[in-house]
Amino acid sequence: MTAEQTRVQPPLPHPSPISAPYWEAARRHELRIQRCVICRQHVFYPRLNCPACGSQQLDWVIASGRGTIYTYTIARRPTHPSFAGRTPLVIAIVELDEGPRMTTNIVGCDPDSVQIGMPVEAVFDDVSPETTLVFFRPASQGGP
Ligand code: ZN
């Protein structure tokens, strides 16, 4: 058996009718979140009702993909067998520029360099043909 055959599959999402647009957008490497048609508040995680006004009129919009680290922890032991070899793993809550907070991982940097308030940007990890996960990395400095 090769290492590939013995690798444990990571836990993957099971999109619901409510969350499917989020996962379909992620596959296109777009970060989409909901926005209330009535009160204009951005909403994440995906749901049926606006948490601010109760409206069921929620549109899907493309988010900037930018935010700041609201809080984080560093997992130094794998919290799932599939995470073996990926530690230390930064588990964070990122506050999007649009307002909502997302639980995610911070990638592409030294975990010990992560700080609360650090500007970050979304990156997309195609973990399978069907599933793309949204992580964040330190925001690039300067212009394009
Ligand atoms: Zn609303």
Side-chain angles (χ1 to χ4, degrees):
M1 253 190 192
T2 67
E4 190 68 29
Q5 288 169 317
T6 57
R7 195 167 69 192
V8 179
Q9 288 299 305
L12 292 176
H14 300 282
S16 69
I18 295 171
S19 68
Y22 169 84
W23 295 109
E24 289 163 10
R27 278 207 306 269
R28 298 190 301 270
H29 290 196
E30 291 174 0
L31 177 58
R32 281 192 184 256
I33 61 176
Q34 292 172 299
R35 185 174 57 193
C36 179
V37 171
I38 304 303
C39 76
R40 312 303 290 169
Q41 176 156 318
H42 288 90
V43 176
F44 187 86
Y45 54 91
R47 49 194 124 183
L48 270 181
N49 293 80
C50 171
C53 76
S55 159
Q56 291 194 339
Q57 296 183 58
L58 296 172
D59 275 346
W60 286 92
V61 297
I62 298 180
S64 65
R66 294 190 165 263
T68 55
I69 296 177
Y70 177 75
T71 192
Y72 71 97
T73 190
I74 300 175
R76 297 188 186 276
R77 297 171 188 235
T79 53
H80 184 274
S82 68
F83 299 158
R86 290 184 56 206
T87 55
L89 185 64
V90 182
I91 301 163
I93 296 175
V94 166
E95 186 168 282
L96 301 176
D97 283 0
E98 290 82 4
R101 294 175 184 157
M102 292 181 65
T103 302
T104 185
N105 293 155
I106 306 300
V107 299
C109 65
D110 176 357
D112 290 323
S113 72
V114 171
Q115 295 182 344
I116 288 171
M118 175 184 279
V120 289
E121 61 190 10
V123 291
F124 299 89
D125 187 354
D126 300 317
V127 295
S128 78
E130 300 79 28
T131 303
T132 298
L133 300 179
V134 180
F135 298 135
F136 285 80
R137 68 182 176 202
S140 51
Q141 303 295 314

